[in-house]
């Protein structure tokens, strides 16, 4: 299973709006498998296809320690949301940056699974936060864009420094 390179903010390709998946075929199933392995190896608890340079509406999430609770959401849509939560978030495309972001505390989401069957899922806690974070990726939005302009400038400077050190 090849690990896929993850795009790093401020790469403009992270700002594309992902397109719906028309047909769930072997190519899509292979991509989902590679995304899952890439997420586990990073390590992370979620990954959107746009982060591996595929602008399609595909998300994988696994909050388990055992890496055996993979959730695949294809063409996901939030149907309902309630409440407020202030949770610290990270992002595999913004390495080393963790910030509190205000989101809905509870969401009901509809998506297709790998068999093409539609399902609904109700989530709270970290799963609700992760679903909203990944759905933002599908709209071309990265979590740091919720922060003030000053914080965003500081984050960009820190990322540039990290990138220079890695060269
Ligand atoms: O979208 C991403 O880049 C994945 C992101 C998901 C996420 C985490 C926390 C709040 C909102 C969204 C990550 O997985 S960041 C890494 C992380 O949270 C983690 C890493 C190792 C173990 C456990 C968590
Ligand atoms: Zn992210």
């Amino acid at each position: 299973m090849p690990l896929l390179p993850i795009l790093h903010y401020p790469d403009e390709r992270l700002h594309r709006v992902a397109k719906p998946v028309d047909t769930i075929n072997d190519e899509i199933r292979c991509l989902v498998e590679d995304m899952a392995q890439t997420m586990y190896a990073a390590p992370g608890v979620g990954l959107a296809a746009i982060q591996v340079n595929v602008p399609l509406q595909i998300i994988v999430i696994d909050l388990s320690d055992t890496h055996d609770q993979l959730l695949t959401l294809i063409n996901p849509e939030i149907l309902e949301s309630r409440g407020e939560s202030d949770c610290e978030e990270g992002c595999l495309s913004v390495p080393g940056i963790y910030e509190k972001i205000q989101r809905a505390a509870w969401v009901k989401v509809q998506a297709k699974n790998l068999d093409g069957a539609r399902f609904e899922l109700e989530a709270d806690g970290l799963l609700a936060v992760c679903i909203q974070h990944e759905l933002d990726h599908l709209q071309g939005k990265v979590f740091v864009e919720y922060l003030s302009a000053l914080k965003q400038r500081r984050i960009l400077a820190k990322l540039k420094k990290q990138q220079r050190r890695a060269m």
Side-chain angles (χ1 to χ4, degrees):
M1 294 294 166
L3 296 183
L4 307 168
I6 296 176
L7 299 179
H8 283 176
Y9 185 79
D11 193 313
E12 269 307 310
R13 290 171 290 180
L14 286 167
H15 292 126
R16 288 170 298 174
V17 177
K19 291 194 167 63
V21 174
D22 286 335
T23 314
I24 300 170
N25 53 23
D26 283 350
E27 199 183 330
I28 296 294
R29 279 186 272 273
C30 241
L31 170 65
V32 166
E33 182 56 36
D34 292 347
M35 284 174 62
Q37 295 312 320
T38 303
M39 171 184 73
Y40 293 136
V45 291
L47 190 69
I50 197 94
Q51 292 178 275
V52 291
N53 199 22
V54 179
L56 289 175
Q57 293 180 12
I58 304 174
I59 288 170
V60 292
I61 295 176
D62 191 341
L63 301 186
S64 74
D65 293 333
T66 41
H67 294 176
D68 60 356
Q69 306 282 313
L70 185 70
L71 253 177
T72 303
L73 293 98
I74 297 173
N75 301 344
E77 277 173 56
I78 292 188
L79 301 176
E80 279 180 57
S81 61
R82 280 187 218 140
E84 271 181 24
S85 110
D86 229 356
C87 181
E88 188 155 276
E89 299 190 18
C91 181
L92 299 177
S93 295
V94 194
I97 307 292
Y98 294 87
E99 292 284 345
K100 273 197 171 172
I101 305 290
Q102 202 173 76
R103 303 226 183 236
W106 175 93
V107 292
K108 186 198 270 189
V109 64
Q110 183 195 61
K112 279 185 177 181
N113 65 19
L114 272 183
D115 299 320
R118 277 217 162 266
F119 67 97
E120 285 184 10
L121 175 74
E122 294 180 24
D124 59 8
L126 181 58
L127 181 56
V129 170
C130 201
I131 287 172
Q132 292 170 82
H133 177 113
E134 302 307 336
L135 261 98
D136 273 352
H137 274 305
L138 301 185
Q139 293 301 316
K141 185 157 183 165
V142 180
F143 83 117
V144 292
E145 289 159 2
Y146 285 104
L147 302 171
S148 68
L150 176 64
K151 272 197 168 174
Q152 288 189 47
R153 278 201 299 275
R154 284 185 179 155
I155 287 167
L156 275 173
K158 193 171 166 185
L159 291 171
K160 275 192 189 139
K161 205 168 161 185
Q162 278 176 17
Q163 279 160 13
R164 274 200 304 272
R165 280 209 189 120
M167 280 184 353

